[in-house]
Amino acid sequence: MKKRSTFFMHVSWLGALLLLSASLAYSQSRTVKGTVKDAKDQSPLPGVTVRVVGTSTGTQTGGDGSYSLNITSGTQLEFSYIGYETLTLPLGSGNTVNASLSLSSKTLEDVVVVGYGTLKKKEVTSAVTTIKAENFNPGVARSPMDLVQGKVPGLSITRVNGNNPNAGASVQMRGITSLSGTIGPLIVIDGVPGGNLDLLQQEDIASIDVLRDGSAAAIYGTRANGGVILVTTKKGKSGEPQFNFGSFLQRDEVAKKPRFLNAEEFKANAPAGNDRGSSTDIYDMLINKKNLSQYYTLSATGGTEKSNYRAAGYYNDGEGIAKRNSRKQYGGRLNVNQTGLQGKMTLQANLAANFNKADLLGGSNGDFEQAVQRNPTAPVKNPDGTFLETTAFNNFNPVARLEQELSERDQQTIQADGKVTVEVYKGLRVSAFGAIVRNNWNDRQYRLRASRSSQVDYQGGGYASKANRVEFDKTFESVIDYNNTFGEHSITALAGYSYQYSTIETYNANNAGFLTDAFQDWNLGNGLYRTLGRSGMGSNKVDNTLVAFFGRVNYTFRQKYFAQAILRHEGSSRFGANHKWADFPAFSVGWTLSEEDFLKGNRTINQLKLRAGYGVTGNQGFANYQSLILLGTGGAYLQNGSWFETYGPSRNPNPDLRWEKKKEWNIGVDFSLLNNRLSGSFDVYQRKTEDLLSNYDTQLPPFVTSQIFTNVGTISNKGFEIVLSGTPVQTKNFTYNVDVTFNRQQNEMTSIHNDQYRLEKLEFGSLPSPGALGNAIRVVEGGALGNFFGKRFAGFDQNGKWLFYKKDGSKVVAGQITQDDLGVIGNGVPKMMFSWNNVFRYKNWDLSLFFRGKLGYDILNLQELYFGNKAWFPNNVLLSAITKHKGLNDVPQYSDYYLEKGDFMKLDNIALGYSFKLKSDYIRSIRIYAAGRNVATFTKYSGLDPELEDNGLTTGIDARGFYPRTRSYTIGLNIGF
C-alpha cells in the first residue's frame, strides 16, 4: 500500500511539472503582427522578408504589406527587401511591430576605382565596369582575366591555347585599334601601370575595374588605346586576427577529339605500300590522363584602425592535359597599412612575389598536328627500341620528342610598392608613390644526341641552349588631390606627376656536338660547335622612359549634375625628336534625371542617369628606338691578314614618329527600376584611331634602307553595349539573380595612305605549305578588318577537280583563276558577344550557371582544308576525307568551301556550393563547392572548338596545329577561422 501511494505521488508531481512547463511555454509564445510600408509614400510593400534575429523563424508580407509571426524567443525583428535598406527593430512587449523601409542607396554609394583615385558610382560619367570578388566567375582561373570573362561588355577574353597552364589569355576591348602596336588594355595593379599578371592569385583580388571608353581611360594617356583594367588586391583591415584557407583540386578531360582514321581505316583507304604493321594512337599517347592540378592558399589579416596587415601565401601545381606540360609556382603577398599624425598621415606598403618552374616541352601545337597526320600503322619504336621516324611530308615523332628533349623555364617575379599620403590642410592631400617590378626568367633546352633534331640538324651531336631575360620597371608618382563641398556644389580635383623607366636585358648562348648527354646543358662550352665557330651567342638591352603631368577635375551640383575633365601631357622616349610630347584630353558629363522633380519618388524608375563623354588616348606599345637610325652588323671581312667586323645603318630615322591616337565618343544611360530589382546600362560609342604605325616602302636614295616605320592610316570602330541585372525571385529561403551582357561592334580600315605613303592592301594569316596558298585575310581601304579574301567555290568537275567562279560568274578550274577573280568570302571577327549568368541561392546552397557566346563570324577550317583531303595521303587524314569530301580528288585549295559559321554558345561555368552555418569559437565559416568549366558548347561548327583567336588582325583561322580543348572539373574548400 505504501509503494502504491509513493507511485501515485511521483505521477502527481510529474503531471504537475508537465502542466507547469506547458503553461510557461504557452505564456512565452505570442503572435506579433504588423504592416510594412514604403517610407516615402507609405504604400504597402508585399514580399518583405520578416525574420526574428538569431533564429530561423520568419515569414513574408502579403499583398497588403501585412504579416503575422508566432514568436517563442528573440528580441529583434529584421525586415529585408530587394532595393530597400534592411531595417532591424526591437520586439518590445507589445504584439504589433510596424516598419517603414527606405529605398537603398548602397549601390549608388559603391566605390568605383577610376585611376589615381575613386568615385562613388553615382558620380561616374564614363563607361566603367566594376566586378567585385563575390561576382567573379566561380571555379579555377588559369589567368586572372578568366575571372571576368564574359562579365564586361565589349571585352573579348580568349584562351587561344585552351587550359594550357603556361599560356595566357588574349584580351581586347571594343575591337581592333592598331596595326603594329599593342592591342590589349593597360593592366594596372594597385596603382602600378603595366602590372604583371603572374603576381595575382584569384584569392587575393578584391575587385577588377574596367575603363571602357576614352573619357575614362585618358588619365593613362599613351597606353590607354585598348582601355584600362584596374586590379585592386585585398588589404588589411582592423579587428580580431582572422585566417582564411582555400584549396582546390582540378582534373581536365578532352572536350572533343579530332576524328582521324584508325589503323584499319587507314589500311583500307591509303595507297598501297603504307602499312607499317602496327596500330597506334599518337594523340592518346600525348594526353596526360592522370593530370591533377592543386592549389593551396592561406591568408591572415588583423590589426587596429591605425595599423593593420594582410599576409597571404600560396602553392599551385598546375598540370595540363598534355604530357610534359606543367607549371609549379609558389609565392605570397603582404600588405601593411599605418595611420599616424592624428590621422593626417597614412602609409601603405605592398610586397608580392611569384616563383615558378614550367615544363614547356609538351603541349606544342605541332605535337598534336602530328597526332592527327602520322601514319597510324607506324609503331612508335623500332624493334631495337629506338624511336621510329616516319618520312612523309612534315613528319616527326612527337612521343620521341617528349622523351628525348628538354625545355624548362625558371621564373621569379617581384613587385614592391609603397605610398605615403599626408593631409596638409582640410580636404587637401599630398601623396608620393613608388614601385619596382622585377621579372626574371632562365630558359634551358637540351636535345639528346639520338633525337631527331640532333640527327638532322647537328650531325648527332646533341644541342644545348640557355637564355635569360630580365625586365625591370621603376615607377614614381606624386599626386595632390583636393575635395570640398560648398553648399550644393562639390569639387574633387587632382594634379600629378608620373615617371616610369623600363629596361629589358637578354642573353642567350647555344652549342652542339657533345660527346655525351650526361651533362645536358650544364657544360655548354664543351660542344664541338664552339671550336668550329658554329655555336651561337647573343645579348641585348633596351630601355624606354615615360614622363607625364596629369590632372582631373570632378564637379557635382545638387547631386544630380556631374562633370569631369581630364588632361594628360605625356612624353615618351620611343617617339621622334619632333613629337616627344602629346596631350590627351577628355571631358564627360552626367545628368541624374531621377533626382528631378518630375521623376523623384517614382516607384517604377528608382534611378536614371544620362552620360556623355569624349576622350583621346594613345598607344606607344611598339619596339624601342623606332625613330632612330640604328647600326647593324654587316659581316666580318679579312683585311691585311686580320678579320674586321663591319657596321652599317639598319633603319631609317624618323624624327616625326608620333603616337597613335584614338578619339572616342561615348553616350550612355544607367538605370534602376522596380524597387531596384532591375538595373543596367546602355552605351553607344564611336571611335577613330589615327596616325596608325606601320612599315612603308621608301625610295633609295635619299633613304638608307627600303622601309620606314611611320604614321599613316585610320581605323574606325563603332558599336553598342548592354548590361542588365535583375532579381526575378526573392523569397524567405530562395533567391534568383540574373545578369546579361550584350555588345555589337563594327570595324573598318578607313585609310592606309597619306600624301607621302600608300599601301594598296594589308595581308595576314599566311597559309602553311604545301602549295603556295598565300594569305587568308586581306584588309583594304574602306573595307572591314578580318575579311577572308579568296576563291569562290563552284563545285567539282566529273574527275573531282576544283571548280571556282570567275569574276563574270563562269566556272573554271583552279589554274584559270586570277587575282581579279578573288573577293571577300567571309569575315573572322565576331560582330556580337553575349553572356548570361544565373545564380540561385536556397538556404545554405548556391548554384551558378554561366553561359556566354559569340555571333556573326566565320571560321577558316585548316584541318579540313589539309587533313580532310585524300591528297594528304600517305599521311593520315580525317574521316571526313573519305566521307564528307570523298568527291574531292585534287590538291588543297583555299576558298570559301572551307569557311564555316563560327556562332556558338557555351555553358562555360557551372558551380554548386554549400556554406555551413557554424557556432564555434574557432571556425567562422566553411564552404565546399564543385565546379565545371567549358561544360558544353552549342554550335554548328564542325571543328574542335569555335572559340579561336578573334583579337588582333589574324582572326578566325583554325590552324592545323592545336592544343586540346578541355572540360575542367573542380572540387574546392574554403575555411575561415
Side-chain angles (χ1 to χ4, degrees):
M1 185 71 180
K2 183 178 180 180
K3 291 182 178 179
R4 185 178 180 185
S5 62
T6 304
F7 170 76
F8 278 109
M9 183 178 68
H10 288 169
V11 171
S12 300
W13 275 107
L14 180 60
L17 184 61
L18 290 172
L19 287 170
L20 179 62
S21 299
S23 176
L24 288 172
Y26 179 79
S27 65
Q28 290 176 355
S29 176
R30 59 181 171 134
T31 299
V32 175
K33 298 180 179 180
T35 303
V36 183
K37 298 181 178 181
D38 185 291
K40 180 169 289 188
D41 59 13
Q42 293 301 300
S43 59
L45 294 177
V48 176
T49 298
V50 184
R51 185 178 65 87
V52 180
V53 176
T55 74
S56 59
T57 304
T59 187
Q60 283 193 325
T61 58
D64 60 354
S66 65
Y67 72 94
S68 178
L69 196 60
N70 189 43
I71 298 174
T72 58
S73 63
T75 60
Q76 292 179 313
L77 284 183
E78 180 185 86
F79 301 84
S80 60
Y81 190 47
I82 294 176
Y84 286 79
E85 300 283 357
T86 298
L87 178 66
T88 301
L89 296 175
L91 272 169
S93 58
N95 294 326
T96 301
V97 179
N98 296 319
S100 296
L101 301 186
S102 300
L103 282 171
S104 173
S105 61
K106 182 177 182 296
T107 301
L108 297 180
E109 298 296 323
D110 283 349
V111 172
V112 177
V113 180
V114 291
Y116 301 104
T118 60
L119 292 173
K120 292 179 181 178
K121 185 176 180 180
K122 66 181 181 182
E123 299 171 337
V124 174
T125 54
S126 305
V128 180
T129 299
T130 298
I131 309 294
K132 302 291 186 182
E134 57 267 26
N135 296 317
F136 289 160
N137 289 324
V140 178
R142 291 288 194 194
S143 163
M145 293 297 97
D146 295 345
L147 297 172
V148 295
Q149 187 176 31
K151 298 280 188 177
V152 182
L155 182 65
S156 175
I157 300 175
T158 306
R159 294 193 64 83
V160 180
N161 289 304
N163 220 22
N164 186 334
N166 296 314
S170 171
V171 185
Q172 181 176 279
M173 170 61 71
R174 289 184 169 182
I176 304 166
T177 58
S178 182
L179 297 178
S180 305
T182 301
I183 62 169
L186 171 69
I187 306 294
V188 181
I189 301 175
D190 287 337
V192 181
N196 192 306
L197 292 177
D198 287 338
L199 292 169
L200 293 172
Q201 300 298 307
Q202 62 190 82
E203 298 289 343
D204 292 334
I205 302 175
S207 66
I208 296 178
D209 297 79
V210 183
L211 311 184
R212 293 168 17 228
D213 75 336
S215 66
I219 194 71
Y220 286 102
T222 60
R223 293 168 289 179
N225 256 17
V228 181
I229 295 179
L230 305 168
V231 181
T232 303
T233 60
K234 295 177 180 177
K235 302 296 189 294
K237 57 183 180 181
S238 61
E240 288 293 321
Q242 293 185 355
F243 296 89
N244 289 282
F245 171 78
S247 177
F248 67 73
L249 300 175
Q250 176 180 288
R251 286 290 299 270
D252 282 6
E253 67 173 27
V254 174
K256 186 176 181 180
K257 180 180 178 179
R259 181 58 172 93
F260 45 82
L261 301 186
N262 59 35
E264 294 303 317
E265 293 167 336
F266 182 84
K267 287 186 288 186
N269 291 278
N274 288 290
D275 183 2
R276 304 295 296 267
S278 186
S279 177
T280 59
D281 186 340
I282 295 294
Y283 185 99
D284 193 60
M285 299 176 73
L286 295 176
I287 296 297
N288 178 13
K289 301 181 184 65
K290 297 181 180 180
N291 72 87
L292 180 66
S293 296
Q294 309 172 57
Y295 178 78
Y296 307 93
T297 181
L298 178 66
S299 65
T301 185
T304 66
E305 290 289 344
K306 292 187 176 182
S307 182
N308 51 67
Y309 65 91
R310 182 182 186 273
Y314 62 88
Y315 173 77
N316 186 359
D317 183 359
E319 293 188 354
I321 191 67
K323 292 180 178 179
R324 299 292 303 276
N325 175 224
S326 63
R327 181 185 179 96
K328 294 182 179 181
Q329 56 183 336
Y330 63 92
R333 178 174 288 273
L334 175 65
N335 165 252
V336 176
N337 308 287
Q338 184 147 329
T339 302
L341 293 180
Q342 303 298 314
K344 296 185 180 298
M345 180 176 180
T346 60
L347 168 67
Q348 183 179 100
N350 298 289
L351 177 64
N354 175 278
F355 305 92
N356 70 77
K357 185 172 184 177
D359 190 340
L360 304 176
L361 187 64
S364 164
N365 291 354
D367 286 353
F368 287 94
E369 179 179 353
Q370 296 300 317
V372 174
Q373 72 169 12
R374 192 175 189 270
N375 185 336
T377 69
V380 175
K381 290 186 177 182
N382 294 303
D384 63 359
T386 59
F387 284 100
L388 172 66
E389 295 287 349
T390 51
T391 57
F393 173 77
N394 191 37
N395 271 212
F396 66 85
N397 187 332
V399 176
R401 196 181 77 84
L402 295 187
E403 295 196 23
Q404 295 180 325
E405 297 185 17
L406 176 151
S407 179
E408 294 178 348
R409 171 172 292 175
D410 279 312
Q411 184 174 1
Q412 307 87 37
T413 308
I414 297 175
Q415 175 180 311
D417 62 80
K419 182 178 182 180
V420 177
T421 303
V422 178
E423 185 178 13
V424 296
Y425 187 75
K426 184 178 180 181
L428 180 65
R429 300 184 304 171
V430 178
S431 65
F433 173 81
I436 58 171
V437 182
R438 189 179 193 274
N439 186 29
N440 172 73
W441 70 71
N442 293 286
D443 290 348
R444 57 184 294 246
Q445 292 186 15
Y446 188 74
R447 302 169 193 170
L448 295 179
R449 299 171 74 246
S451 68
R452 177 183 179 276
S453 173
S454 173
Q455 295 291 325
V456 173
D457 300 322
Y458 306 105
Q459 292 77 51
Y463 170 85
S465 74
K466 285 187 175 295
N468 75 283
R469 178 184 176 102
V470 178
E471 302 172 351
F472 194 67
D473 297 335
K474 302 176 183 177
T475 302
F476 174 78
E477 293 178 334
S478 182
V479 176
I480 300 173
D481 64 85
Y482 174 76
N483 67 84
N484 207 341
T485 299
F486 309 93
E488 296 180 321
H489 307 270
S490 295
I491 291 180
T492 301
L494 65 84
Y497 165 79
S498 177
Y499 169 86
Q500 189 166 28
Y501 177 69
S502 303
T503 63
I504 300 176
E505 299 179 19
T506 61
Y507 174 80
N508 64 85
N510 64 79
N511 202 358
F514 296 96
L515 182 63
T516 175
D517 293 320
F519 298 107
Q520 294 185 341
D521 57 313
W522 298 115
N523 195 1
L524 197 62
N526 200 37
L528 181 63
Y529 271 42
R530 182 179 65 85
T531 59
L532 296 176
R534 297 170 63 185
S535 60
M537 183 182 297
S539 63
N540 187 37
K541 179 179 180 179
V542 296
D543 68 346
N544 84 288
T545 303
L546 272 173
V547 176
F549 301 90
F550 57 88
R552 179 175 61 217
V553 177
N554 292 86
Y555 170 72
T556 302
F557 178 58
R558 293 183 177 177
Q559 292 298 305
K560 58 183 176 182
Y561 307 114
F562 306 91
Q564 175 179 273
I566 293 173
L567 178 63
R568 186 175 179 108
H569 181 64
E570 190 156 21
S572 171
S573 62
R574 288 181 173 170
F575 295 99
N578 298 334
H579 295 279
K580 290 289 186 188
W581 294 84
D583 293 322
F584 301 92
F587 184 75
S588 59
V589 294
W591 176 23
T592 305
L593 281 77
S594 53
E595 290 296 316
E596 297 291 354
D597 292 339
F598 56 84
L599 279 180
K600 202 167 187 178
N602 188 294
R603 291 186 55 80
T604 301
I605 302 175
N606 308 118
Q607 192 250 347
L608 182 64
K609 182 172 73 175
L610 298 179
R611 296 178 279 104
Y614 172 80
V616 180
T617 54
N619 189 356
Q620 62 119 41
F622 54 87
N624 293 297
Y625 315 133
Q626 295 287 321
S627 68
L628 305 177
I629 187 169
L630 298 184
L631 295 179
T633 57
Y637 293 87
L638 183 64
Q639 185 173 354
N640 298 327
S642 299
W643 289 96
F644 293 89
E645 184 66 69
T646 61
Y647 289 88
S650 60
R651 176 178 296 142
N652 287 314
N654 185 0
D656 293 319
L657 193 72
R658 58 191 179 276
W659 277 274
E660 295 178 335
K661 280 191 174 183
K662 175 172 62 65
K663 301 175 180 179
E664 180 173 12
W665 283 98
N666 190 97
I667 299 174
V669 58
D670 301 322
F671 57 87
S672 183
L673 311 173
L674 306 174
N675 293 331
N676 296 319
R677 294 189 73 141
L678 176 64
S679 61
S681 65
F682 176 81
D683 285 88
V684 59
Y685 64 88
Q686 183 164 347
R687 50 189 1 195
K688 181 179 289 187
T689 307
E690 301 174 342
D691 294 331
L692 297 173
L693 286 162
S694 190
N695 286 302
Y696 287 79
D697 293 334
T698 59
Q699 290 184 340
L700 296 173
F703 291 96
V704 295
T705 64
S706 60
Q707 287 197 324
I708 188 170
F709 191 64
T710 190
N711 301 87
V712 178
T714 303
I715 290 176
S716 297
N717 313 77
K718 61 182 179 181
F720 65 85
E721 300 162 346
I722 301 173
V723 178
L724 293 173
S725 297
T727 306
V729 181
Q730 184 184 43
T731 64
K732 174 185 173 183
N733 295 317
F734 178 75
T735 304
Y736 169 39
N737 295 316
V738 61
D739 300 286
V740 175
T741 69
F742 178 87
N743 72 276
R744 182 182 177 91
Q745 64 169 355
Q746 180 178 332
N747 306 296
E748 180 184 299
M749 189 77 238
T750 310
S751 169
I752 45 175
H753 81 277
N754 62 14
D755 294 339
Q756 290 181 280
Y757 304 101
R758 171 181 291 274
L759 286 176
E760 296 300 326
K761 63 181 182 296
L762 294 166
E763 292 189 333
F764 308 93
S766 176
L767 299 176
S769 57
L773 300 186
N775 297 297
I777 297 172
R778 178 178 292 185
V779 177
V780 298
E781 196 166 274
L785 296 168
N787 275 343
F788 291 114
F789 194 85
K791 296 183 283 289
R792 294 170 295 149
F793 175 66
F796 302 107
D797 67 12
Q798 65 273 19
N799 298 316
K801 303 300 181 182
W802 292 104
L803 292 176
F804 299 107
Y805 288 109
K806 288 187 69 65
K807 190 175 182 179
D808 61 7
S810 60
K811 299 179 181 180
V812 297
V813 295
Q816 297 180 28
I817 293 294
T818 67
Q819 283 292 317
D820 289 339
D821 299 317
L822 305 181
V824 175
I825 55 177
N827 188 279
V829 179
K831 295 179 178 62
M832 291 164 279
M833 297 189 296
F834 67 90
S835 70
W836 176 31
N837 188 41
N838 304 269
V839 179
F840 306 88
R841 291 185 175 90
Y842 177 72
K843 293 186 177 180
N844 297 350
W845 292 93
D846 60 86
L847 170 67
S848 66
L849 299 171
F850 181 61
F851 298 85
R852 63 178 180 85
K854 298 180 180 181
L855 305 170
Y857 71 109
D858 302 297
I859 295 176
L860 175 59
N861 193 336
L862 291 190
Q863 293 182 34
E864 288 290 335
L865 193 155
Y866 292 98
F867 303 149
N869 190 326
K870 295 189 296 292
W872 202 249
F873 285 128
N875 282 326
N876 199 8
V877 296
L878 296 174
L879 180 64
S880 61
I882 59 172
T883 55
K884 179 181 178 181
H885 311 300
K886 65 180 179 180
L888 172 60
N889 293 298
D890 205 347
V891 296
Q893 291 284 345
Y894 163 51
S895 74
D896 57 0
Y897 180 76
Y898 293 109
L899 286 181
E900 301 181 44
K901 292 298 181 184
D903 299 5
F904 72 89
M905 181 178 75
K906 289 191 175 193
L907 174 52
D908 196 49
N909 206 310
I910 179 170
L912 176 65
Y914 184 83
S915 300
F916 293 88
K917 288 187 176 180
L918 304 171
K919 294 182 179 180
S920 170
D921 294 333
Y922 300 99
I923 300 177
R924 289 182 291 109
S925 62
I926 296 178
R927 183 175 185 270
I928 58 174
Y929 64 90
R933 186 141 196 168
N934 195 30
V935 178
T937 302
F938 307 95
T939 183
K940 292 183 179 180
Y941 178 58
S942 66
L944 300 181
D945 192 333
E947 188 166 25
L948 306 168
E949 177 62 272
D950 50 33
N951 299 330
L953 294 159
T954 304
T955 60
I957 299 178
D958 196 354
R960 289 193 323 213
F962 59 93
Y963 187 92
R965 296 300 195 268
T966 61
R967 296 187 185 96
S968 302
Y969 301 100
T970 305
I971 56 173
L973 169 69
N974 297 107
I975 303 176
F977 50 93

